[in-house]
Amino acid sequence: MTAAFLPTRTTATTSTTATIALDLSGLGAPAHDREAAAGLPAEQANLVRLASYARAAHKGGVSFVTLGEDFRLRADAAPRANAWLDPVIAARRISPSAGATGLVPTVQLGRADSAVAAELAQFNRKSGSWAGLQVARGEQAPVAALPQLGDLLEELVRSTEARSSQRPTVVVPLEEEADLAAAGELADVVRLREADLSWARELRFAVRSAARAAGRGPVRVLVDLRTVIASDYESARARADLLTDIAGGDAGWSGALEAVGTVGDVVATIERWVEAGAADGFVVLPGSIPADVQRLLRGIIPALQARGLVSVAGATTEA
């Protein structure tokens, strides 16, 4: 990917405070080998547990939680035709009991916009929760269809807004240079999977320049951050390696920036990237639940708040 949109001399290099989001896709029904699962009852996601984690995340200073496109409500041996809608359904179901949490499920572009809009229109906003959409290309919007990315996204947002009377917060993963224009025009948050600080900084400048070219204000760029935390580096490294061995080649954090070590090590990584202008915040991919979620909420975020890098009230507003 090349940074086609260049920054200007007035482009801000750093944010005043960082946004911290949390990916809770790991609380979905576990994927199993079809042969091993044949004839056995399908496991289901525990939505009470998911709502509890979302509520705790908000209280702990997390701005919003995300559910990836692979999140599943049931671990069926045979694939379900509408399984792609599971992240949205799960977010809608937990909205009454998730507190004032931002819930951002992933939606594949090109899928049934009316189905997504109908689900989001049923969000229980009396609890204070707010709805977002993270877009994924999926099979319906392959790389060859990238010129239509903006049109597909705009149609999805328009359909959802018409049903629910509220525009959802839009999160766009930046995967290709061709995504920049759509991200600049429609995204509220851009999600970036990049482990190189210098290149992440260039991409963040490019996103902001694309937004400025579209006549919009700055768009927040969040970097995916896999965290594995322990009392010392050696213990954290051993657990991180074990998790990688278990996941094999299907690791959901592949390509993400890693912060493995103590709470202090993770805080130092976040501080370095934010101060370098490489990120406006992070989407935390916990190595394991609950261990790394607990250390995020009780260790990392309080330390960031003490340094003025995360607003104490930051979780009460949309990203």
Side-chain angles (χ1 to χ4, degrees):
M1 189 190 304
T2 59
F5 293 91
L6 297 177
T8 67
R9 292 182 182 273
T10 59
T11 301
T13 56
T14 59
S15 300
T16 54
T17 56
T19 297
I20 302 296
L22 175 63
D23 192 300
L24 291 179
S25 302
L27 292 178
H32 294 300
D33 180 82
R34 292 181 184 177
E35 293 184 6
L40 298 175
E43 293 188 64
Q44 298 189 10
N46 186 331
L47 293 186
V48 173
R49 188 175 183 227
L50 178 61
S52 297
Y53 271 91
R55 188 168 57 248
H58 170 74
K59 290 180 179 179
V62 169
S63 292
F64 62 89
V65 301
T66 68
L67 299 177
E69 62 180 315
D70 293 329
F71 179 93
R72 291 293 177 265
L73 289 169
R74 299 201 315 264
D76 298 279
R80 289 178 290 121
N82 64 341
W84 62 270
L85 194 56
D86 281 4
V88 183
I89 294 174
R92 186 263 297 169
R93 287 181 179 175
I94 69 171
S95 63
S97 54
T101 312
L103 301 172
V104 184
T106 301
V107 177
Q108 292 183 1
L109 286 174
R111 291 289 190 178
D113 298 339
S114 59
V116 174
E119 288 291 336
L120 294 184
Q122 297 178 61
F123 259 63
N124 186 326
R125 292 180 173 82
K126 292 181 180 179
S127 65
S129 65
W130 52 271
L133 288 174
Q134 177 171 288
V135 298
R137 291 193 188 91
E139 297 178 357
Q140 304 300 313
V143 174
L146 279 178
Q148 289 79 43
L149 177 62
D151 294 337
L152 287 167
L153 179 53
E154 187 173 13
E155 181 181 351
L156 176 59
V157 172
R158 186 169 55 247
S159 176
T160 301
E161 189 174 9
R163 287 289 192 101
S164 65
S165 75
Q166 291 187 343
R167 182 186 185 279
T169 297
V170 177
V171 179
V172 177
L174 185 65
E175 299 178 10
E176 301 286 345
E177 182 183 357
D179 297 347
L180 277 169
E185 292 175 4
L186 293 167
D188 301 298
V189 175
V190 168
R191 187 168 169 179
L192 184 62
R193 181 158 291 196
E194 178 57 59
D196 182 85
L197 184 149
S198 297
W199 187 235
R201 181 170 52 209
E202 294 299 320
L203 292 175
R204 175 174 172 266
F205 286 159
V207 169
R208 291 194 159 209
S209 296
R212 187 174 59 254
R216 304 177 65 219
V219 173
R220 295 187 74 78
V221 176
L222 306 188
V223 173
D224 285 357
L225 178 67
R226 182 206 183 196
T227 62
V228 180
I229 311 162
S231 57
D232 58 82
Y233 174 80
E234 289 73 19
S235 299
R237 185 73 265 170
R239 185 158 64 88
D241 292 342
L242 176 61
L243 291 170
T244 299
D245 290 342
I246 293 173
D250 298 326
W253 59 81
S254 178
L257 173 66
E258 285 194 340
V260 176
T262 65
V263 167
D265 294 332
V266 178
V267 170
T269 297
I270 292 175
E271 185 174 28
R272 183 171 67 255
W273 276 60
V274 171
E275 290 185 347
D280 297 301
F282 297 86
V283 178
V284 174
L285 313 174
S288 58
I289 300 175
D292 294 304
V293 174
Q294 178 185 25
R295 291 184 174 99
L296 170 69
L297 302 182
R298 297 185 180 180
I300 294 171
I301 291 181
L304 293 172
Q305 290 172 340
R307 299 187 186 197
L309 289 172
V310 172
S311 172
V312 175
T316 63
T317 58
E318 296 185 23

